[in-house]
Amino acid sequence: QVQVVESGGGLVQAGGSLRLSCAASGRTFSNYAMGWFRQAPEKEREFVAAISWSGDNTYYANSVKGRFTISRDNAKNTVYLEMNSLKPEDTGVYYCAVGRYYPAMLTTSYDYWGQGTQVTVSS
């Protein structure tokens, strides 16, 4: 079993920045790929970014490419999502996920999920 806890969400104005963190415990962190997803009200959960086991490879949704950066620190069992130039359409609950495949853009490809952290971008 893997426990996943996200943090770092909040309210920010359009054009601002936030950094989300995701701490995972319970298994060897470096054996897993990690992903970030988000879900806006009344919408499906959508893929945002993924990072490989070593952190050498990353993959982004087109909507965030060039603005968001995913990274990981295996010594701290933590993955990050640096979000810059935020837009109102980035608003939603952001979820961190742990999985065995990279790159994986489907929710069904991930085995463990956190409870999510709310990001609200005001215009």
Side-chain angles (χ1 to χ4, degrees), residues 5-9 19-23 36 78-81 96 117:
V5 179
E6 304 97 336
S7 62
R19 188 174 84 153
L20 306 183
S21 298
C22 169
W36 284 99
T78 302
V79 64
Y80 305 97
L81 186 68
C96 178
T117 185

Side-chain angles (χ1 to χ4, degrees), residues 4 28 37-38 44 46 48 64 66 70 85 89 93 100 113:
V4 182
T28 304
F37 288 73
R38 66 187 180 189
E44 297 284 322
E46 66 173 2
V48 174
V64 306
I70 187 172
S85 303
E89 50 263 43
V93 178
R100 290 164 288 170
W113 293 82

Side-chain angles (χ1 to χ4, degrees), residues 69-118:
T69 302
I70 187 172
S71 61
R72 67 190 294 165
D73 184 339
N74 286 343
K76 295 182 178 180
N77 289 0
T78 302
V79 64
Y80 305 97
L81 186 68
E82 185 76 33
M83 306 186 294
N84 298 314
S85 303
L86 282 161
K87 305 174 181 180
E89 50 263 43
D90 294 318
T91 294
V93 178
Y94 281 69
Y95 297 92
C96 178
V98 181
R100 290 164 288 170
Y101 307 105
Y102 172 85
M105 290 150 280
L106 300 178
T107 57
T108 52
S109 298
Y110 291 86
D111 300 313
Y112 305 101
W113 293 82
Q115 293 299 307
T117 185
Q118 176 71 44

